[in-house]
């Protein structure tokens, strides 16, 4: 009896959030009530996810057939160990991000943003993410992706400024393309097997010719690789994420790519075990890690630097999946949980930096450590965690993955272990560089160095003529925009009017910067960082949990038999 | 299973035209391309659903003659989603036109900056800054020496 009541909890993370989205839309003129509804629902989802996690761990996967249709006909929602863990982490992260965005908005910045649609859209996003984690068939997964993507389109272009429209264009077009690819894969899977249910597919895909199965797997993997931003399909991410408002970037960076990783993990384990494409995934992981982190080092803006580390660290999770061993899957799951919290926390901190220093460009800012020691600590802890400094969860996750790689012991896995270690070091370099420029140097040094930029007027003109930049500018000028690469424009301003009022050094003097960080933004950030540190404290039990989850994924029978009934 | 050749040819024509249009720079053309691609994919789903048949209502026709209702339901869902996305993309194209007077997809500022620096054979700005010098200017190396000193 208790089993029945527990499995009715399974659809609640989706249903509650969608109902909440409707309710907050109706309450759009009463911000207080909106806030109350959203926070209550997100907290409830977190609690439900925790209960589901305990249930899935002790009683096996929780299954609910929507609408009460008999076993193979209806739409199944399944919460196994993996789904429940993802659900819990995403619920905690989204709750913190929402609190943060409330803190940001209450102080009156972005007064022009359409506040009333923020809450409903955010809830639809959470509903989509939860549905993706719970989906028991491919088509439901597709609908979940569309839900979260649609919400993300709106959130990304919130306010409709020029930069956001530009970033949104790329994001929307890329995702519509990948959705078309997803539909093509669905049609192919359906015509080959006559089903889209994960559990049924797990049985039937074994019965079709190997070549056909390989094609289906390639189609699905390509689709999810675009969503997860795996190199070479990661080009869209650093272009589109950094322009959004800080909380939006944070939740995108934390969750959306991980939904893609989750989907890859699910199909690799359940639908295509012993797949011949594991080697391909490992190569992709290698390229993602190395190219991503090299991109991060080249950036001169903290948001973009973090977007590239995000791409790079997706490579770690794909590495774990590509190993196709229990230890590899376990490491990947742990790393996903770690990375969702840490990447979100870092983007929230960047939002604070933007608030305090007025910019996230490394050229402009400096001396933040002295200006705001609290901010320095808030950045330092997750940054070191991201780089994998012991004893934090980033270190534990990386060690788990590297050990899994060594256990497999093929030349390719050794290469990946080496690449993983190098990526970790380069991540440390990238965040240390950010630390050195933004926090450690004095504002005076920042000012001096900005004046010493390699973009003095003479050089600039010469460069323009030499490299056809003039044509570029004219083209855009005809079109009527004030386009210019930001760096060169900044350099120009420095040279032309010496614009001392535009940089930190001077703004500190005349006090035009906000002198305090809003508590409503600091507390959720600190809470999320605390949560990431708590992952370190419970790393032992958590790793045990991910081990059990990974073994259930490898066995496959718990999932299949709980969905289809024990007779099959 | 016998597939309908007309459907396959139409679907491939629509997909090909769609991909060609997506490669354009104007957002409106991209949108038309995405629509054609989407329609092609929806037709492909009809191919996947097998030969056409009678309405799948129990009692009206024998089960063997019925068409498969499931892919049709999926395509309907996909069409609804495509409708929503199209509306959103149109709104974005309109906004882009409001802001810029055109709806071309623009280059990314930071990418353009990095490309320029690469063309000029420079390392990234932040690298130069961290070194305390520019690649063209190896002379003043003492800029970062006073890191610990207080003003």
């Amino acid at each position: 009896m208790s089993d029945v009541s527990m499995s009715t909890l399974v659809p609640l993370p989706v249903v509650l959030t969608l109902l909440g989205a409707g309710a907050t839309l109706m309450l759009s003129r009463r911000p207080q009530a909106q806030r109350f509804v959203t926070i209550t629902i997100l907290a409830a989802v977190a609690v439900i996810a925790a209960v589901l996690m305990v249930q899935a761990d002790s009683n096996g996967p929780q299954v609910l057939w929507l609408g009460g249709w008999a076993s193979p006909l209806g739409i199944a929602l399944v919460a196994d160990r993996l789904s429940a863990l993802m659900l819990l982490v995403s619920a905690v992260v989204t709750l913190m991000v929402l609190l943060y965005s409330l803190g940001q908005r209450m102080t009156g910045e972005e007064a022009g943003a359409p506040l009333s649609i923020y809450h409903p859209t955010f809830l639809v996003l959470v509903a989509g993410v939860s549905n993706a984690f719970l989906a028991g068939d491919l088509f439901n997964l597709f609908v979940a992706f569309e839900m979260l993507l649609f919400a993300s389109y709106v959130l990304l272009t919130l306010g409709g400024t020029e930069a956001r429209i530009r970033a949104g264009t790329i994001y929307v077009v890329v995702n519509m393309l990948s959705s078309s690819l997803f539909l093509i894969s669905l049609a192919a899977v359906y015509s080959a097997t006559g089903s889209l249910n994960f559990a049924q597919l797990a049985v039937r895909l074994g019965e079709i010719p190997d070549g056909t199965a390989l094609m289906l797997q390639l189609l699905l993997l390509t689709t999810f690789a675009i969503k997860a931003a795996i190199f070479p399909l990661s080009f869209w991410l650093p272009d589109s994420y950094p322009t959004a408002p800080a909380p939006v970037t944070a939740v995108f960076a934390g969750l959306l790519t991980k939904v893609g990783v989750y989907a890859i993990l699910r199909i690799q384990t359940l639908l295509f075990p012993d797949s011949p494409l594991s080697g391909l995934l490992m190569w992709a992981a290698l390229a993602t890690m190395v190219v991503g982190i090299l991109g991060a080092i080249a950036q001169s803006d903290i948001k973009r630097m973090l977007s590239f580390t995000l791409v790079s660290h997706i490579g770690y999770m794909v590495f774990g999946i590509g190993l196709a061993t229990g230890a590899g899957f376990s490491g990947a799951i742990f790393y996903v949980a770690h990375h969702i919290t840490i990447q979100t926390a870092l983007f929230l901190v960047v939002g604070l930096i933007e608030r305090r220093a007025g910019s996230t460009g490394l050229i402009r800012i400096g001396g933040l450590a002295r200006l705001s020691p609290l901010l320095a600590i808030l950045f330092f802890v997750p940054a070191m965690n991201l780089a994998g400094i012991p004893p934090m969860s980033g270190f534990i996750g990386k060690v788990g993955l590297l050990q899994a790689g060594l256990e497999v012991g093929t030349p390719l896995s050794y290469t990946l272990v080496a690449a993983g270690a190098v990526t970790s070091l380069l991540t440390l370099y990238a965040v240390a560089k950010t630390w050195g420029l933004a926090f450690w140097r004095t504002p005076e040094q920042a000012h001096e160095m900005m004046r010493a930029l390699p973009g003095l007027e003479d050089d600039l003109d010469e460069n323009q003529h030499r490299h056809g930049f003039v044509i570029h500018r004219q083209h855009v000028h005809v079109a009527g925009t004030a386009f210019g690469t930001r760096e060169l424009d900044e350099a120009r301003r420095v040279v032309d009017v010496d614009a001392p009022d535009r940089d930190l050094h001077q703004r500190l003097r005349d006090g035009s910067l906000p002198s305090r960080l809003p508590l409503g933004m600091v507390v959720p950030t600190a809470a999320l960082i605390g949560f990431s540190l708590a992952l370190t404290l419970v790393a032992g039990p958590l790793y045990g949990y991910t081990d059990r989850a990974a073994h259930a994924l490898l066995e496959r029978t718990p999932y299949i038999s709980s969905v289809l009934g024990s007779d099959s | 299973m016998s597939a309908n050749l007309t459907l396959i040819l139409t679907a491939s024509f629509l997909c090909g035209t769609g991909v060609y249009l997506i490669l354009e720079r104007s957002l409106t053309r991209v949108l038309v391309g995405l629509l054609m691609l989407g329609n092609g994919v929806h037709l492909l789903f009809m191919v996947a659903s097998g030969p056409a048949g009678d309405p799948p209502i129990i009692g009206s026709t024998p089960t063997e003659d019925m068409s498969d209702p499931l892919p049709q339901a999926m395509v309907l869902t996909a069409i609804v989603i495509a409708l929503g996305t199209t509306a959103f993309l149109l709104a974005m194209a309109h906004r882009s036109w409001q802001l810029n007077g055109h709806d071309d997809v623009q280059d990314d500022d930071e990418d353009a900056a990095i490309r320029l620096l690469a063309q000029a054979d420079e390392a990234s700005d932040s690298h130069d800054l961290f070194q305390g010098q520019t690649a063209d200017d190896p002379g003043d190396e003492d800029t970062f020496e006073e890191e610990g000193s207080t003003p």
Side-chain angles (χ1 to χ4, degrees):
Chain A
M1 192 60 210
S2 79
D3 262 10
V4 175
S5 64
M6 279 308 162
S7 68
T8 51
L9 284 181
V10 175
L12 283 186
V14 186
V15 176
L16 277 183
T17 41
L18 282 182
L19 284 178
T24 47
L25 198 59
M26 284 193 288
L27 293 171
S28 59
R29 287 168 187 222
R30 302 179 59 189
Q32 289 279 354
Q34 263 194 334
R35 235 173 271 154
F36 175 75
V37 170
T38 316
I39 293 174
T40 316
I41 285 176
L42 289 180
V45 170
V47 173
I48 292 168
V51 174
L52 280 177
M53 191 168 149
V54 174
Q55 279 295 316
D57 197 25
S58 50
N59 297 341
Q62 305 288 308
V63 184
L64 186 86
W65 290 90
L66 293 182
W69 289 87
S71 170
L73 287 179
I75 298 172
L77 290 181
V78 188
D80 66 346
R81 289 192 182 93
L82 170 63
S83 306
L85 176 66
M86 295 291 104
L87 209 57
L88 178 64
V89 176
S90 73
V92 171
V93 164
T94 45
L95 180 62
M96 290 309 153
V97 171
L98 186 92
L99 291 175
Y100 177 96
S101 59
L102 291 181
Q104 186 179 26
R105 267 139 217 284
M106 276 191 289
T107 53
E109 201 204 44
E110 299 197 46
L115 286 179
S116 57
I117 61 158
Y118 181 77
H119 288 264
T121 320
F122 195 86
L123 282 172
V124 172
L125 182 81
V126 180
V129 170
S130 312
N131 194 6
F133 290 144
L134 291 172
D137 66 284
L138 274 175
F139 196 75
N140 202 1
L141 187 65
F142 170 74
V143 174
F145 267 119
E146 290 304 314
M147 265 159 73
L148 70 89
L149 283 178
F150 219 100
S152 70
Y153 299 157
V154 177
L155 288 174
L156 192 72
T157 53
L158 212 61
T161 61
E162 194 182 342
R164 284 180 193 166
I165 292 289
R166 194 205 65 76
T169 309
I170 296 169
Y171 183 75
V172 174
V173 171
V174 167
N175 277 304
M176 278 183 81
L177 262 179
S178 81
S179 296
S180 296
L181 196 59
F182 201 168
L183 267 182
I184 294 175
S185 348
L186 290 183
V189 171
Y190 188 79
S191 61
T193 62
S195 172
L196 289 178
N197 184 290
F198 278 141
Q200 272 185 319
L201 283 178
V203 180
R204 290 192 193 172
L205 278 172
E207 298 158 2
I208 65 173
D210 283 352
T212 317
L214 186 65
M215 187 200 75
L216 298 180
Q217 188 185 7
L218 262 177
L219 274 171
L220 287 171
L221 275 183
T222 315
T223 308
F224 297 139
I226 298 177
K227 314 269 187 204
I230 294 170
F231 184 84
L233 303 169
S234 59
F235 56 90
W236 55 272
L237 192 146
D239 254 5
S240 50
Y241 278 14
T243 48
V248 172
T249 313
V251 75
F252 282 17
L255 290 178
L256 298 197
T257 48
K258 308 308 182 302
V259 179
V261 173
Y262 164 83
I264 292 179
L265 182 57
R266 184 62 84 194
I267 65 161
Q268 281 296 102
T269 53
L270 192 58
L271 305 190
F272 306 100
D274 319 315
S275 94
L277 290 182
S278 288
L280 181 73
L281 273 181
M282 305 234 314
W283 282 111
L286 178 71
T288 311
M289 283 197 275
V290 175
V291 174
I293 201 63
L294 290 180
I297 288 171
Q299 298 305 314
S300 56
D301 181 286
I302 306 181
K303 278 186 177 178
R304 291 181 65 91
M305 188 276 286
L306 284 178
S307 299
F308 274 97
T309 60
L310 167 64
V311 172
S312 168
H313 284 230
I314 295 287
Y316 280 108
M317 302 158 211
V318 180
F319 169 37
I321 299 171
L323 287 173
T325 60
F329 290 142
S330 177
I333 299 170
F334 185 89
Y335 205 86
V336 172
H338 147 76
H339 199 248
I340 289 178
T341 47
I342 213 66
Q343 195 75 43
T344 312
L346 273 171
F347 271 108
L348 291 184
V349 175
V350 171
L352 288 175
I353 293 177
E354 198 170 15
R355 166 61 67 100
R356 191 71 181 87
S359 166
T360 55
L362 284 174
I363 293 166
R364 301 203 144 277
I365 56 181
L368 286 175
R370 174 178 262 220
L371 186 66
S372 173
L374 175 66
L375 188 57
I377 295 169
L378 287 180
F379 179 81
F380 188 76
V381 173
M384 289 300 113
N385 199 344
L386 182 75
I389 298 296
M392 286 187 268
S393 55
F395 171 74
I396 300 167
K398 288 185 180 73
V399 165
L401 283 171
L402 298 189
Q403 272 180 344
L406 291 177
E407 271 171 29
V408 171
T410 58
L412 183 54
S413 75
Y414 281 129
T415 316
L416 269 152
V417 168
V422 169
T423 306
S424 176
L425 282 177
L426 288 178
T427 310
L428 184 62
Y429 172 72
V431 294
K433 195 182 79 172
T434 308
W435 172 259
L437 287 175
F439 289 89
W440 216 237
R441 65 176 177 177
T442 62
E444 284 77 14
Q445 281 173 321
H447 185 60
E448 264 169 42
M449 283 179 205
M450 206 171 91
R451 297 185 53 160
L453 266 183
L456 290 175
E457 194 78 345
D458 299 346
D459 292 353
L460 204 65
D461 282 346
E462 196 188 337
N463 279 349
Q464 284 177 2
H465 291 301
R466 219 185 322 152
H467 305 296
F469 186 56
V470 169
I471 298 168
H472 195 45
R473 287 185 73 93
Q474 272 175 350
H475 162 71
V476 182
H477 183 71
V478 167
T481 65
F483 175 85
T485 70
R486 204 178 304 150
E487 309 299 325
L488 292 175
D489 270 3
E490 272 179 14
R492 201 163 256 227
R493 239 177 270 130
V494 173
V495 176
D496 284 352
V497 287
D498 206 13
D501 57 322
R502 306 247 336 152
D503 75 357
L504 187 71
H505 174 45
Q506 197 66 25
R507 288 216 268 169
L508 286 177
R509 293 262 162 91
D510 62 25
S512 69
L513 282 171
S515 55
R516 293 195 51 181
L517 291 167
L519 204 61
M521 291 163 79
V522 172
V523 171
T525 314
L528 197 56
I529 294 170
F531 183 70
S532 74
L533 291 178
L535 283 185
T536 313
L537 285 182
V538 299
L542 185 62
Y543 228 107
Y545 180 90
T546 59
D547 273 341
R548 290 194 295 281
H551 284 128
L553 287 178
L554 271 181
E555 261 182 70
R556 307 205 301 152
T557 40
Y559 190 100
I560 297 172
S561 63
S562 60
V563 173
L564 294 182
S566 45
D567 49 320
S568 49
Chain B
M1 184 184 109
S2 68
N4 187 329
L5 190 65
T6 323
L7 277 181
I8 293 180
L9 286 180
T10 320
S12 54
F13 174 75
L14 282 172
C15 287
T17 324
V19 167
Y20 178 79
L21 280 172
I22 287 171
L23 299 178
E24 292 278 337
R25 238 186 151 142
S26 155
L27 193 52
T28 324
R29 292 187 186 196
V30 172
L31 177 65
V32 174
L34 282 170
L35 282 177
M36 296 185 88
L37 179 66
N39 286 342
V41 174
H42 296 161
L43 277 185
L44 204 65
F45 239 104
M46 293 292 98
V47 180
S49 73
D54 292 334
I57 300 169
I58 296 173
S60 68
T61 40
T63 322
E64 313 83 73
D65 296 343
M66 288 180 185
S67 61
D68 188 351
L70 194 56
Q72 301 180 8
M74 291 177 193
V75 170
L76 272 179
T77 316
I79 289 174
V80 172
I81 291 171
L83 174 77
T85 328
T86 307
F88 187 81
L89 211 56
L90 267 179
M92 263 182 36
H94 179 68
R95 180 70 183 152
S96 176
W97 178 78
Q98 272 186 333
L99 287 169
N100 304 325
H102 63 88
D103 64 347
D104 285 1
V105 180
Q106 310 244 322
D107 281 339
D108 186 53
D109 284 3
E110 301 274 347
D111 279 354
I114 288 179
R115 197 165 58 230
L116 277 177
L117 287 167
Q119 281 171 346
D121 201 19
E122 294 252 13
S124 78
D125 290 348
S126 53
H127 173 79
D128 291 344
L129 283 170
F130 198 51
Q131 301 301 313
Q133 63 188 33
T134 71
D136 293 335
D137 174 26
D140 65 72
E141 286 176 312
D142 52 349
T143 323
F144 222 76
E145 301 265 312
E146 347 168 310
E147 188 176 281
S149 68
T150 49

